[in-house]
Amino acid sequence: MNTSTSIQGSSFTFDFLSFDFTAPQPTQDADLLRQLSFIPGLKEMILLRQVHALEHATVWVLSEANSAYAPKSNPTKVQVDNELLGGLSTEQGFYLYGEVNISDLRRAVTLGLNRLINGEWDLAVHPRCGTNASVAMLLTAGLAVGVNLLLPFRPIEQLIGLGIAATTAAELAPDLGSIAQRYLTTAIPFNLAIENITLSRDLWGRQGHFVKVRWQD
């Protein structure tokens, strides 16, 4: 049985069953921007998501390089994390904080970008991302409110309920945070080009390296 759908009068054939709708497509953000360019701030939001993914990939690559136990055979299953490194993304690029040689950083940014756009999409997700903390706080608040409404308004029951809510949120937050990163707060940087890397200070005066990027179709 033929599972593909053809448009009459055209040679275009599309196989809906074999197409992965969740897989990032190289032109998806550029196409979205062209179609919805009238929406204020859309390009900045798309840039921020792509920069955010590149920031995470750069931290992973630097962590691998600085660890004698970095995985070699399967780089998409990254387990090594250098907790001394951190980042902050903007729509113009990202700040990287921590002791790092600028040459190593330049290599890590380039390698991280190449690995992301060549299919290592797990590098876009990081367990220490602020998205995870935000998800945990929202989940804890939501469960706490639910418990407060469902249980009797007596101190013992309320305390037990809050403890259950906090424990449940702590268990669910890492997985839900990863999902939020993958589909909401990051995007594969198919449209990013690296311009330069400089020593700089962020809005709070913290010194770090700033990786400046630009949009390319």
Side-chain angles (χ1 to χ4, degrees):
M1 181 176 66
N2 188 357
T3 59
S4 63
T5 302
S6 300
I7 299 176
Q8 188 173 5
S10 170
S11 60
F12 176 78
T13 301
F14 191 80
D15 190 346
F16 286 98
L17 294 183
S18 65
F19 184 75
D20 186 355
F21 288 95
T22 64
Q25 304 300 314
T27 63
Q28 64 185 18
D29 285 343
D31 291 343
L32 181 66
L33 187 58
R34 278 191 291 269
Q35 295 168 8
L36 303 176
S37 59
F38 58 88
I39 299 178
L42 178 61
K43 184 174 183 179
E44 288 75 15
M45 183 184 71
I46 292 174
L47 270 167
L48 182 58
R49 293 178 70 225
Q50 293 197 13
V51 171
H52 197 186
L54 180 58
E55 174 209 320
H56 288 171
T58 300
V59 171
W60 279 130
V61 173
L62 285 170
S63 299
E64 289 177 3
N66 291 334
S67 174
Y69 302 100
K72 304 296 183 182
S73 59
N74 192 1
T76 60
K77 301 296 183 182
V78 180
Q79 300 295 329
V80 180
D81 179 25
N82 184 350
E83 296 185 1
L84 299 178
L85 297 176
L88 174 67
S89 294
T90 74
E91 68 273 11
Q92 297 177 340
F94 68 90
Y95 294 91
L96 185 82
Y97 310 106
E99 294 293 330
V100 59
N101 181 280
I102 195 168
S103 297
D104 294 336
L105 176 56
R106 187 175 293 110
R107 173 188 171 276
V109 172
T110 303
L111 183 57
L113 178 60
N114 288 335
R115 287 172 63 174
L116 279 172
I117 64 179
N118 283 295
E120 293 188 48
W121 300 324
D122 287 343
L123 294 176
V125 178
H126 200 284
R128 289 189 289 110
C129 178
T131 301
N132 287 18
S134 299
V135 168
M137 288 188 291
L138 289 172
L139 191 58
T140 301
L143 290 174
V145 170
V147 165
N148 181 264
L149 295 175
L150 292 173
L151 294 180
F153 291 96
R154 292 192 293 267
I156 297 299
E157 285 85 348
Q158 289 294 312
L159 286 174
I160 292 174
L162 289 175
I164 293 173
T167 302
T168 303
E171 289 293 326
L172 297 177
D175 290 336
L176 293 178
S178 295
I179 292 172
Q181 286 185 61
R182 190 178 300 275
Y183 297 109
L184 296 176
T185 64
T186 69
I188 304 304
F190 293 114
N191 303 105
L192 292 189
I194 302 164
E195 282 204 348
N196 57 56
I197 301 175
T198 59
L199 278 172
S200 184
R201 292 185 180 274
D202 63 17
L203 296 175
W204 296 272
R206 295 177 298 177
Q207 182 171 307
H209 291 88
F210 185 70
V211 180
K212 187 175 181 180
V213 301
R214 60 179 171 82
W215 176 272
Q216 64 176 7
D217 289 319

